[in-house]
Amino acid sequence: MIDIQNKSDCCGCGGCVQRCPHGCITMKEDENGFLYPHVNKDACIDCHLCEHVCPVLNEGEKRETQACFAATHPDDAIRTASSSGGIFSVFAHRVIGDGGVVFGARFDEKWAVIHDVADTIDKVNAFRGSKYVQSVMGDSFEKAESFLKQGREVLFTGTPCQIAGLKRFLNKDYPNLITVEIACHGVPSPGVWRDYLGMKGKGGVVNQVNFRDKSTGWRNYSVVIGNRAKPHDDDDYMACFLANYTMRPSCFTCPFKTGKSGADILIADLWGAEKIQGIEVNDNKGISAVLVYSDRGRSFLEKCEMNMTEVDVNSVLKHNRSIVESAVKPADYGVFWKKYCKRPMWTLRRYGTLTMPKLIVRAKRTVARLIRR
Ligand SMILES: Cc1cc2nc3c(=O)[nH]c(=O)nc-3n(C[C@H](O)[C@H](O)[C@H](O)COP(=O)(O)OP(=O)(O)OC[C@H]3O[C@@H](n4cnc5c(N)ncnc54)[C@H](O)[C@@H]3O)c2cc1C
Ligand code: SF4
Ligand code: SF4
Ligand code: SF4
């Protein structure tokens, strides 16, 4: 049975919970707000299915990229509302238009992030935009399996570990499945996000959240929570995430990069676009990098309408190392969490401020922002 001794050995995909035939496993939050599986040993029949589906215990093979593209959504409004070049929406709308279903991450009514399925354009649009919180998988793998067995086309999107978890869970190749992973720096704790929102909530009702607001540009994106917008590196929650403090332990030794997840396609920000040969569009509204890992991925792309230029994959990886490398664990990661458990908001403020740009830079940007209004 699954028995997590070392927290870095579980990415929280929830595959074991969904596969256990006796419902012996439940996901419970640890003291840092991450979900881990817990087994009811009295009910366990020792069938080992949970170990068989675990993507960490069964690491995939490294795969070469077949092709790499710079791509943008043809509709500028959708591109601007997306984190990168809006390619997720191109894929999702194509699948929904052909009668398929799409899995992705959305906010629920309390602004927690959950994985869900959509069969209409309205529902799928809720998946648009990066949510920098680990999404809760619920029964997404079971639902995806059921749609696949019915013969519906399924587009499953998520972090590489979620794609790897799905693949292990299914244990069989379905020709009607297309998997798209997002490049993944790592995921912050849902518990920290809940605490942070709780604090923000005291200042008023949170009626909107946008982690990648582009009104200040794609590169210098802002974070909008309720009626407050801030440069991303000037926000305590984002600063602690980008400095790797609030990230899940498994993200520091991620076994799903370099095609190991089994995904057909990877989508990412095309950072450094201005230095990449062959790119003409560079208007700071966002450009995606699209890496193709399989023949199925390649033929899926052929059926999608978007602006696309083939580029050299190495020049893309040069500016976006998180596609192939794990984030580095801060030396004081343990100290951060000890402090966080005692004084959550003080710790976010303190560590956030340490990693932010200097006060004078932040003050100048705030003035510029107020003048622009
Ligand atoms: C936690 C996280 C870390 C990331 N790290 C990097 C990085 O290091 N480098 C990089 O280039 N890109 C990173 N991205 C991906 C990038 O921000 C875009 O999501 C991606 O390029 C797709 O952009 P888009 O414009 O095509 O579509 P968008 O509409 O912006 O993206 C929507 C897609 O993101 C998925 N998604 C959103 N939030 C989550 C979540 N919490 N968990 C799982 N899936 C989610 C949706 O399901 C959907 O598939 C990260 C995204 C997240 C959520
Ligand atoms: S060994 Fe089988 S019964 Fe026991 S927890 Fe794992 S999947 Fe469930
Ligand atoms: S990685 Fe997924 S399958 Fe493995 S123990 Fe964790 S939740 Fe279960
Ligand atoms: S870095 Fe790896 S382990 Fe962490 S969320 Fe991303 S894919 Fe999963």
Side-chain angles (χ1 to χ4, degrees), residues 73-86:
H73 197 294
D75 181 334
D76 260 7
I78 295 183
R79 181 154 71 107
T80 307
S82 307
S83 303
S84 312

Side-chain angles (χ1 to χ4, degrees), residues 2-4 9-17 25 27 35-37 50-51 53-57 141 161 165 248 256:
I2 285 292
D3 183 15
I4 310 296
D9 292 339
C10 173
C11 63
C13 71
C16 53
V17 179
I25 317 179
M27 293 297 261
L35 289 173
Y36 289 92
C50 50
E51 293 147 64
V53 297
C54 178
V56 176
L57 291 176
F141 295 168
C161 55
R248 191 174 176 101
F256 307 108

Side-chain angles (χ1 to χ4, degrees), residues 78-79 81-89 102-106 113 115 127-135 156-159 162 180-188 212 214 241 257 266-271 287-289 320-323:
I78 295 183
R79 181 154 71 107
S82 307
S83 303
S84 312
I87 295 312
F88 162 75
S89 295
V102 178
F103 285 80
R106 69 169 174 86
V113 179
H115 241 71
F127 302 155
R128 186 177 291 147
S130 290
K131 291 102 189 160
Y132 293 120
V133 185
Q134 182 163 34
S135 69
F156 200 101
T157 69
T159 58
Q162 291 168 339
V180 173
E181 67 188 10
I182 51 171
C184 186
H185 175 71
V187 280
R212 294 281 297 256
K214 289 180 182 168
F241 164 48
K257 293 175 190 271
L266 176 145
I267 50 179
D269 284 293
L270 189 70
W271 298 131
I287 309 180
S288 292
N320 198 336
R321 297 307 296 164
S322 61
I323 296 176

Side-chain angles (χ1 to χ4, degrees), residues 1 20-22 24-25 39 44-50:
M1 86 185 78
C20 175
H22 282 258
C24 312
I25 317 179
V39 179
C44 171
I45 55 158
D46 254 334
C47 67
H48 302 290
L49 275 175
C50 50

